Amino acid sequence: MDKRSSVDQKKPTLEDYIIDMETRPPDSDNNGPTDVWAQLQQKEADLLLAAELGKALLEKNEELKKQQDKMIEEFSTKIEKLEQEKHVLRRQLEVAASESESHCSELQSDIAEMKAKLESQEALVKQCEREKNALIEELTAQNARLSQELQKSNTIEVQLQTQLQEFKDQCNRRNMSIQDHVNSLDSLKSELKVILEKKSELEHRLQISAAEKETLQTLLSEASDRIHTLERGNREQETKYKITIQTLDRLERENGTLSERLESFDSQRSNSDHQSLLHEMGCDDSIDETSAPLLVKEAITVYKQLKNLCQTLKSSHDDDSGNIFA
């Protein structure tokens, strides 16, 4: 029991059993009963150990089976995820393939365009080379022409230096006559002083003329105002004159009418009465109108109106003449 309890307490593992079997010495047939008893105990211990090992192996097997199931489940989950990822990657690969095809077609079109541009650039480079050669030839010709012009300019420079020396000689000769110019300058200053005095006198006269001009402008403005007043009075007199002429025409028409009526009236009366009536109209203005007939009254009224109108016209004409002469 003590051994069993010790065996139970130890609980050797599969590795311990294997190590014990390897380190155990081989059995011999020459041993006595003690060896048999020891072998039986050893066998019993081996059986117990084998039972423990079997139990441990079963537990280990179950644990391994659980781990295997768990691993299978994990692997199946991973496989499913991998399938999904594979499907996604396949879709991405298809999209990438289509994009790569489109990109490839774009690149091909770009390559064709670049080839066309390259050809145009090559043609442009060739044209530039031709233009450069032509420009070099032109510059060479210009260089030769400029060399000739430089030689001419050197000749002209020599001529100009000669002329400059001549001008210097002339300046030296002119410097000798500066004193004469100074003397003439003094005389010019004196003449300028006289001219300035005359200028001041003329400015004074100009101021006087300006004052007289202002006075004349004032008189002119007053005369213009008076002329406007006279023109306005003249227009008023012309208006009155027109009204008087119209009144005179009307009175003349009335006088003609009265004359006709007087002639008809004269045919009814005697010549003596008619002459006395005319004498009264021409000589006596204070005739009694109540004692005369109706036609005579009208004639006397017209005669008085004509007389007053003539006096009015005469007085208006005298007033206009006086205003004009004033």
Side-chain angles (χ1 to χ4, degrees), residues 255 258-259 262 273-287 292 295-304 306-307:
N255 189 15
L258 290 174
S259 297
L262 284 172
D273 293 333
H274 179 65
Q275 290 177 357
S276 63
L277 178 61
L278 292 175
H279 178 72
E280 290 176 357
M281 290 174 63
C283 299
D284 191 4
D285 293 336
S286 61
I287 189 170
L295 185 59
V296 176
K297 291 179 181 180
E298 291 179 357
I300 292 169
T301 303
V302 171
Y303 174 73
K304 288 181 178 181
L306 287 172
K307 189 175 181 180

Side-chain angles (χ1 to χ4, degrees), residues 40-66:
L40 289 173
Q41 289 181 351
Q42 186 66 36
K43 293 291 183 181
E44 186 178 0
D46 291 338
L47 289 173
L48 292 174
L49 183 60
E52 292 292 334
L53 288 172
K55 185 178 179 181
L57 287 172
L58 289 173
E59 292 177 355
K60 187 71 174 179
N61 190 14
E62 289 178 357
E63 184 178 357
L64 290 173
K65 188 176 181 181
K66 289 180 181 179

Side-chain angles (χ1 to χ4, degrees), residues 26-91:
D27 295 336
S28 61
D29 295 335
N30 296 321
N31 292 331
T34 306
D35 294 331
V36 173
W37 178 253
Q39 289 178 0
L40 289 173
Q41 289 181 351
Q42 186 66 36
K43 293 291 183 181
E44 186 178 0
D46 291 338
L47 289 173
L48 292 174
L49 183 60
E52 292 292 334
L53 288 172
K55 185 178 179 181
L57 287 172
L58 289 173
E59 292 177 355
K60 187 71 174 179
N61 190 14
E62 289 178 357
E63 184 178 357
L64 290 173
K65 188 176 181 181
K66 289 180 181 179
Q67 290 179 359
Q68 185 181 3
D69 293 336
K70 186 176 181 180
M71 290 177 67
I72 289 170
E73 185 178 359
E74 290 178 355
F75 283 142
S76 61
T77 305
K78 288 182 179 180
I79 289 169
E80 185 178 358
K81 288 182 180 179
L82 289 173
E83 288 292 334
Q84 292 177 357
E85 291 178 357
K86 181 181 178 182
H87 181 69
V88 172
L89 290 173
R90 185 177 295 170
R91 293 292 300 275

